[in-house]
Amino acid sequence: MGERLSYFLKDVFKSIWRNRMMALASLFVLVSCMLIMGTSVIISFNINAVAEKIENQNEIVIFLRDDITQAELTDLERSIERDSRITKSIYFSKEQALQEYIEQQDGDEYLYESLKEDNVLPASFRLSFDNSDGKISDSVSTFEKMAGVEKIRFNKDLVDKVDNFSKIINFVGIWLIIVLAIVSLFIIQNTIKIALFTRKKEINIMKYVGATDSFIQAPFVLEGVLIGIVSSAVAFGIQYILYQKVISGILDSFGIDLISAVPFSEMQLYILVPFALTGLIVGGIGSLMSIRKYLQV
Amino acid sequence: MIELRDVHKVYSNGTNALKGIDINIDQGEFLFIVGPSGAGKSTFTKLLLREETPSSGSVMVNGYNLVKMRRSKIPYLRRTIGVVFQDFRLIDNKTIYENVAFAMRVIGASPKNIRKRVPYVLGLVGLASKAKSFPREISGGEQQRVALARALVNNPAIIIADEPTGNVDPQMSREIMDLLCEINKRGTTVLVVTHDHDIVQEYDKRVITIKDGVIVSDKEGGK
């Protein structure tokens, strides 16, 4: 069996080598297709991570008008106490807000002297809700109507925006993948067609001496599948380098905790499996498609 | 062994290639199928190889019913028939040995059998010394013998030679014909398809003449 197998593999590699320009072209297109696929996986992973972080915070911030009266403040405090779903409520005075702002800006206090003199930062209530998916927006609209409230910052808006964005990315990504998969299928099919053509005589002889169809097909299918598998390995490597060096670098440079890059190791399975499947399916089906026409002797 | 009953073949383009052929060929026979080009000779061989199916009638070859046969069984039918093509159809980048071994390899023969059988068959056609040569390095007559060796290597019950004298000089023709007779003596049925009347006359064999899709004569002895 070993000898037969080595003959078989030698034939396959010979055929790929003879056809190397086409094989390389198929590889190139397949890798491009996979990279786009992988990039959209990475983008949606990162977007989802951001959305999750925002959602988990479950916080709203009620900014107060500078001219809020003591009565209005007490009123607001009572409403907050009455809302059973609020688990935590912290009052932040204008001074505390300023202090926090300065700390966030690396705390070089004296640069902010002018800010201190004329503090434009509003006082606020920071409210945490329990995670029971209640309608935070109900509470929000209640507080919004109350006197002395300047504005409410509500993460839900942001979550919705992020969600919409990721939907668009997914939609575009899926169509790109479909189109590119069809293009790769076409290219693989042509590669195998040329491989078949250069071995037309051999195939013809095989048919006459009584080789079975599967015996004739096997090397060509393997050739297609091999191109597919090599493509997925190459694409995975490029994707890894690209992510480590470029994308995560950009994301991390924002320096904001919310937008830190998802580690590659968490996504690698979701990248590798689609890559390998695309390689196998496109390579296998592409070659089978072109062989079928040829075998009708 | 080969049995055609009232075989008609009309191609989809309307060509009426065979119009009621009845043939019976027994195991171990040697016969010529002659006739001008366009008479239906090649349709006849295509039917035997199940490249074509008859429009009506029945075809039996080596125990296979070619009309009812499933597509997946065709390879097994073809293993019982060795074909020598007029244009030889050797693979240029394989040596003589590899060309012959190829026919065994692609039907799944074991490497051990290949190593035993190929030199034997090359010896049979007198090409043992050329095993390592490439087709372009040998003469036309030798190339034809390689084609014959390849047809023989899987030990078929029938050998079909398509115009074996068409591409070689008269001296070579005689050599290849003698070789076919030799193979026939060992029990293989030999079918020589030709339009070369001279060669038919030289050998005292059964001759079936086809013209315009019908058998016009079927007689023993070419003389």
Side-chain angles (χ1 to χ4, degrees):
Chain A
M1 197 65 220
E3 198 172 325
R4 271 185 254 189
L5 195 70
S6 76
Y7 257 126
F8 178 70
L9 290 177
K10 225 160 68 187
D11 269 4
V12 171
F13 286 119
K14 239 194 255 169
S15 172
I16 291 179
W17 179 247
R18 214 181 301 169
N19 232 332
R20 56 194 176 277
M21 285 321 285
M22 268 320 266
L24 217 62
S26 333
L27 189 111
F28 184 76
V29 175
L30 262 176
V31 167
S32 315
C33 171
M34 288 170 184
L35 283 180
I36 289 177
M37 205 182 273
T39 305
S40 48
V41 168
I42 284 173
I43 290 174
S44 58
F45 254 89
N46 278 287
I47 286 176
N48 286 341
V50 170
E52 208 173 303
K53 268 181 197 161
I54 296 169
E55 267 171 304
N56 277 345
Q57 283 176 344
N58 251 344
E59 265 187 12
I60 70 170
V61 181
I62 303 176
F63 293 107
L64 306 178
R65 297 168 63 96
D66 282 354
D67 59 1
I68 189 169
T69 63
Q70 191 55 47
E72 285 166 346
L73 194 62
T74 320
D75 213 20
L76 193 57
E77 261 175 331
R78 281 207 192 109
S79 314
I80 290 168
E81 269 164 38
R82 250 182 279 132
D83 195 324
S84 60
R85 296 186 316 99
I86 295 172
T87 53
K88 208 167 101 189
S89 148
I90 303 166
Y91 176 76
F92 255 59
S93 69
K94 286 174 71 72
E95 290 70 34
Q96 282 169 309
L98 180 65
Q99 195 56 42
E100 187 192 48
Y101 177 72
I102 291 168
E103 272 162 23
Q104 272 176 2
Q105 310 298 320
D106 273 347
D108 204 348
E109 237 178 277
Y110 93 129
L111 274 176
Y112 304 100
E113 281 307 320
S114 64
L115 255 180
K116 270 183 178 171
E117 273 161 35
D118 183 16
N119 186 358
V120 292
L121 293 167
S124 61
F125 279 105
R126 301 192 176 181
L127 311 178
S128 299
F129 286 79
D130 64 9
N131 255 342
S132 59
D133 186 50
K135 291 184 206 84
I136 301 178
S137 47
D138 284 356
S139 312
V140 171
S141 45
T142 317
F143 295 133
E144 244 169 3
K145 282 178 210 129
M146 295 185 71
V149 173
E150 169 85 42
K151 189 178 142 194
I152 292 182
R153 198 177 71 201
F154 176 30
N155 284 334
K156 185 86 171 60
D157 297 346
L158 195 54
V159 171
D160 285 348
K161 266 180 203 152
V162 171
D163 264 359
N164 279 337
F165 185 59
S166 81
K167 266 181 202 142
I168 292 168
I169 292 277
N170 285 342
F171 181 79
V172 172
I174 284 169
W175 278 105
L176 263 177
I177 289 164
I178 290 172
V179 169
L180 281 166
I182 291 168
V183 171
S184 336
L185 202 67
F186 181 73
I187 297 248
I188 284 266
Q189 202 190 337
N190 272 286
T191 306
I192 300 299
K193 208 187 272 169
I194 290 174
L196 283 162
F197 192 76
T198 56
R199 300 178 67 186
K200 208 174 167 182
K201 212 174 186 180
E202 284 179 41
I203 294 171
N204 182 280
I205 293 162
M206 283 193 212
K207 297 224 61 142
Y208 277 111
V209 301
T212 56
D213 285 356
S214 51
F215 195 97
I216 300 173
Q217 288 174 353
F220 299 102
V221 174
L222 188 68
E223 185 175 334
V225 167
L226 214 61
I227 292 172
I229 289 174
V230 171
S231 301
S232 55
V234 169
F236 187 73
I238 294 177
Q239 191 83 70
Y240 176 78
I241 293 165
L242 219 59
Y243 191 69
Q244 297 297 22
K245 299 270 183 254
V246 184
I247 299 176
S248 62
I250 292 170
L251 287 181
D252 286 338
S253 74
F254 287 130
I256 304 166
D257 177 48
L258 209 58
I259 321 182
S260 65
V262 176
F264 194 78
S265 59
E266 273 178 35
M267 302 180 289
Q268 59 189 8
L269 217 59
Y270 296 90
I271 293 170
L272 190 58
V273 171
F275 279 15
L277 283 178
T278 309
L280 278 173
I281 292 170
V282 171
I285 291 181
S287 42
L288 269 177
M289 270 162 58
S290 45
I291 297 166
R292 296 213 129 236
K293 282 189 212 148
Y294 251 94
L295 278 182
Q296 309 296 333
V297 171
Chain B
M1 144 141 310
I2 297 176
E3 192 185 285
L4 278 74
R5 285 281 159 271
D6 195 26
V7 170
H8 290 258
K9 178 65 187 178
V10 184
Y11 286 103
S12 52
N13 66 7
T15 310
N16 200 345
L18 296 178
K19 306 165 186 166
I21 298 276
D22 286 283
I23 292 180
N24 230 336
I25 299 165
D26 292 328
Q27 168 95 49
E29 275 198 73
F30 189 117
L31 79 158
F32 291 102
I33 307 280
V34 294
S37 46
K41 297 191 306 278
S42 65
T43 300
F44 172 70
T45 54
K46 278 178 181 166
L47 285 178
L48 298 187
L49 290 163
R50 198 19 181 93
E51 264 185 80
E52 296 289 347
T53 48
S55 308
S56 69
S58 72
V59 182
M60 292 285 295
V61 177
N62 292 333
Y64 290 95
N65 182 335
L66 270 54
V67 178
K68 290 181 182 162
M69 181 181 226
R70 296 225 320 264
R71 216 186 104 79
S72 59
K73 288 269 180 283
I74 297 174
Y76 304 97
L77 161 78
R78 290 185 182 164
R79 287 176 196 188
T80 67
I81 306 170
V83 188
V84 185
F85 298 99
Q86 186 178 5
D87 57 359
F88 316 145
R89 297 195 196 171
L90 302 179
I91 301 161
D92 304 323
N93 57 7
K94 289 190 196 297
T95 63
I96 302 313
Y97 179 93
E98 285 166 349
N99 262 285
V100 177
F102 179 74
M104 286 187 84
R105 194 149 65 74
V106 299
I107 65 163
S110 77
K112 201 176 136 206
N113 276 342
I114 294 175
R115 277 196 293 269
K116 240 182 6 199
R117 176 81 180 157
V118 175
Y120 169 76
V121 177
L122 282 177
L124 209 63
V125 299
L127 283 176
S129 60
K130 305 272 183 171
K132 289 198 169 90
S133 305
F134 285 90
R136 70 186 122 75
E137 298 166 345
I138 60 176
S139 71
E142 285 168 331
Q143 286 184 31
Q144 182 157 46
R145 280 187 276 158
V146 178
L148 180 59
R150 187 180 61 198
L152 279 172
V153 78
N154 288 324
N155 207 11
I158 304 171
I159 289 276
I160 299 176
D162 184 20
E163 302 283 4
T165 58
N167 275 345
V168 289
D169 59 50
Q171 164 69 23
M172 290 295 177
S173 296
R174 201 156 299 114
E175 275 182 28
I176 199 80
M177 286 307 298
D178 289 345
L179 207 48
L180 285 169
C181 289
E182 178 63 31
I183 289 155
N184 175 242
K185 273 190 200 129
R186 292 164 187 249
T188 310
T189 308
V190 175
L191 240 94
V192 177
V193 181
T194 184
H195 62 258
D196 181 350
H197 282 281
D198 294 345
I199 206 89
V200 175
Q201 310 252 303
E202 241 176 87
Y203 292 84
D204 186 21
K205 304 289 183 189
R206 182 180 171 192
V207 183
I208 293 174
T209 310
I210 303 179
K211 206 172 176 184
D212 293 329
V214 290
I215 294 174
V216 292
S217 80
D218 180 352
K219 51 189 179 190
E220 292 295 328
K223 282 169 188 160

